[in-house]
Amino acid sequence: MNTTQVVGEAVQRLRTEAGISLAALAQACGISKTTLHGIEQGRGNPTLSTLWSLATALEVPLGELLEAPARGPEVVRADDPQRPRVEGEAVSARLLHRIKLRGTVEVYDIDVSQTRQESAPHLPGVQECLVLTRGRMTAGPVDGSPELAAGDSILFDASQRHVYQGQDKDNHAVLLMFHAEV
């Protein structure tokens, strides 16, 4: 996908999520509705100042307009040496996922048996992040759920059917559910 398409999809998605009309965003940026429509369709070639105006009006960092959203589940393995790490006097931290959200986060401590559970889709905008702390488990979208081991994590769109199934007798995880503001 080229940059103009990425920008167009991002502007349209962010405008819709924010509940802003095409006319209101165009006015806030000082551009015509026709120009904004062209940008959203991936036909425009916005200048840097136009991109800054859009980012400011949408209240997002500029990079949010330039980077395509992740597609599909994001799996991080426990032994992945590429994940960023920071060290302190008493704490060593490894970044697992970055989740951008305006809304509510629910944190659950879960045990998962070896029985397969298929969950119905949640509301649009709901994401789940699971960090497996003990055992092995299959989790994520019904089509293509990876097997996770202790220390692995997965972030996925929960507005589609998804599955949880423990692979060992003792499977434990921390589940974060992110509910976007509508």
Side-chain angles (χ1 to χ4, degrees), residues 66-149:
L66 304 174
E67 185 176 64
R71 304 273 189 226
E74 176 186 7
V75 177
V76 175
R77 300 293 179 189
D79 60 353
D80 182 352
Q82 301 300 314
R83 299 308 297 179
R85 284 192 163 282
V86 292
E87 305 288 334
E89 304 254 341
V91 175
S92 172
R94 179 172 68 118
L95 177 65
L96 296 177
H97 304 279
R98 290 186 66 227
I99 302 159
K100 299 171 187 166
L101 180 75
R102 293 181 187 137
T104 302
V105 178
E106 298 174 340
V107 181
Y108 296 91
D109 181 31
I110 66 171
D111 292 301
V112 180
S113 74
Q114 292 175 316
T115 303
R116 180 180 171 92
Q117 174 181 314
E118 280 196 26
S119 295
H122 299 308
L123 295 171
V126 175
Q127 292 181 297
E128 290 189 12
C129 180
L130 179 115
V131 181
L132 189 60
T133 58
R134 194 169 54 239
R136 291 179 309 117
M137 174 184 317
T138 300
V142 169
D143 299 328
S145 301
E147 186 172 304
L148 305 171

Side-chain angles (χ1 to χ4, degrees), residues 9-182:
E9 286 184 12
V11 170
Q12 187 173 36
R13 175 179 47 80
L14 293 166
R15 179 180 62 75
T16 302
E17 287 173 3
I20 301 171
S21 70
L22 189 76
L25 182 58
Q27 183 177 12
C29 295
I31 60 176
S32 72
K33 283 185 359 183
T34 304
T35 299
L36 179 56
H37 181 71
I39 291 170
E40 286 190 356
Q41 297 302 306
R43 293 190 310 262
N45 189 16
T47 65
L48 183 57
S49 78
T50 298
L51 291 173
W52 274 113
S53 293
L54 286 164
T56 300
L58 292 166
E59 298 179 358
V60 298
L62 178 63
E64 189 75 21
L65 301 179
L66 304 174
E67 185 176 64
R71 304 273 189 226
E74 176 186 7
V75 177
V76 175
R77 300 293 179 189
D79 60 353
D80 182 352
Q82 301 300 314
R83 299 308 297 179
R85 284 192 163 282
V86 292
E87 305 288 334
E89 304 254 341
V91 175
S92 172
R94 179 172 68 118
L95 177 65
L96 296 177
H97 304 279
R98 290 186 66 227
I99 302 159
K100 299 171 187 166
L101 180 75
R102 293 181 187 137
T104 302
V105 178
E106 298 174 340
V107 181
Y108 296 91
D109 181 31
I110 66 171
D111 292 301
V112 180
S113 74
Q114 292 175 316
T115 303
R116 180 180 171 92
Q117 174 181 314
E118 280 196 26
S119 295
H122 299 308
L123 295 171
V126 175
Q127 292 181 297
E128 290 189 12
C129 180
L130 179 115
V131 181
L132 189 60
T133 58
R134 194 169 54 239
R136 291 179 309 117
M137 174 184 317
T138 300
V142 169
D143 299 328
S145 301
E147 186 172 304
L148 305 171
D152 291 349
S153 66
I154 184 170
L155 171 67
F156 62 93
D157 174 5
S159 66
Q160 57 184 314
R161 291 190 67 74
H162 49 286
V163 65
Y164 287 99
Q165 182 175 11
Q167 301 299 322
D168 289 342
K169 288 185 179 183
D170 183 21
N171 307 287
H172 186 265
V174 174
L175 173 66
L176 296 98
M177 293 185 68
F178 302 92
H179 301 267
E181 284 183 0
V182 190

